[in-house]
Amino acid sequence: MSDPFTIRVFVADGNPDGVRLVDRLNWTGVGVVFPRDQWSTARNRVELGRTGVYILVGYKEGDEDLPTLYIGEGDVVRDRIDNHAQAKDFWEHAYVFTTSNSGLNKARVAAKKMTDLF
């Protein structure tokens, strides 16, 4: 059996369907979750100026049975998602994982599995 832990969800703009920050007590990681239509608000978050990994989720036209996932990483996650906001039409939600203390770099992201990052 695993040890219990607490997860906190901070609703940044008061809208539970908008930008949310997710963290775990005694963890240096932070998740930023937002719908695509909130990208202009989410992109201003300081967390997205850090190194991290992200998952874009949505459905491609004509293939509504299973979601399409795009998994990426970047030294500055904001820059990568800016590119995808212009070039990739399918995604409806983004899930970004970075650190609260800038303790992650691109080499570490490439060398570790997601579960080993934080």
Side-chain angles (χ1 to χ4, degrees):
M1 179 190 259
S2 298
D3 293 332
F5 58 89
T6 299
I7 295 177
R8 296 184 299 187
V9 178
F10 176 70
V11 180
D13 59 2
N15 177 0
D17 294 323
V19 179
R20 292 158 309 218
L21 293 137
V22 181
D23 71 352
R24 176 180 165 178
L25 296 179
N26 299 320
W27 182 53
T28 60
V30 63
V32 182
V33 179
F34 58 90
R36 183 182 186 138
D37 64 3
Q38 293 291 309
W39 173 236
S40 61
T41 300
R43 74 175 313 282
N44 295 319
R45 299 289 317 176
V46 67
E47 296 86 358
L48 299 183
R50 298 180 184 138
T51 301
V53 296
Y54 58 91
I55 304 167
L56 304 178
V57 180
Y59 293 87
K60 288 188 177 179
E61 188 174 326
D63 191 13
E64 289 82 22
D65 291 336
L66 294 173
T68 297
L69 303 177
Y70 180 92
I71 302 170
E73 48 85 20
D75 277 331
V76 177
V77 176
R78 176 185 303 112
D79 295 345
R80 297 288 295 140
I81 297 176
D82 269 340
N83 290 337
H84 298 318
Q86 296 174 18
K88 296 189 183 315
D89 293 332
F90 77 89
W91 68 279
E92 299 167 7
H93 291 88
Y95 304 85
V96 180
F97 300 93
T98 186
T99 62
S100 58
N101 64 3
S102 299
L104 187 62
N105 60 43
K106 192 169 179 176
R108 188 163 183 210
V109 168
K112 300 282 187 173
K113 295 184 300 186
M114 184 65 183
T115 56
D116 296 334
L117 289 177
F118 305 104

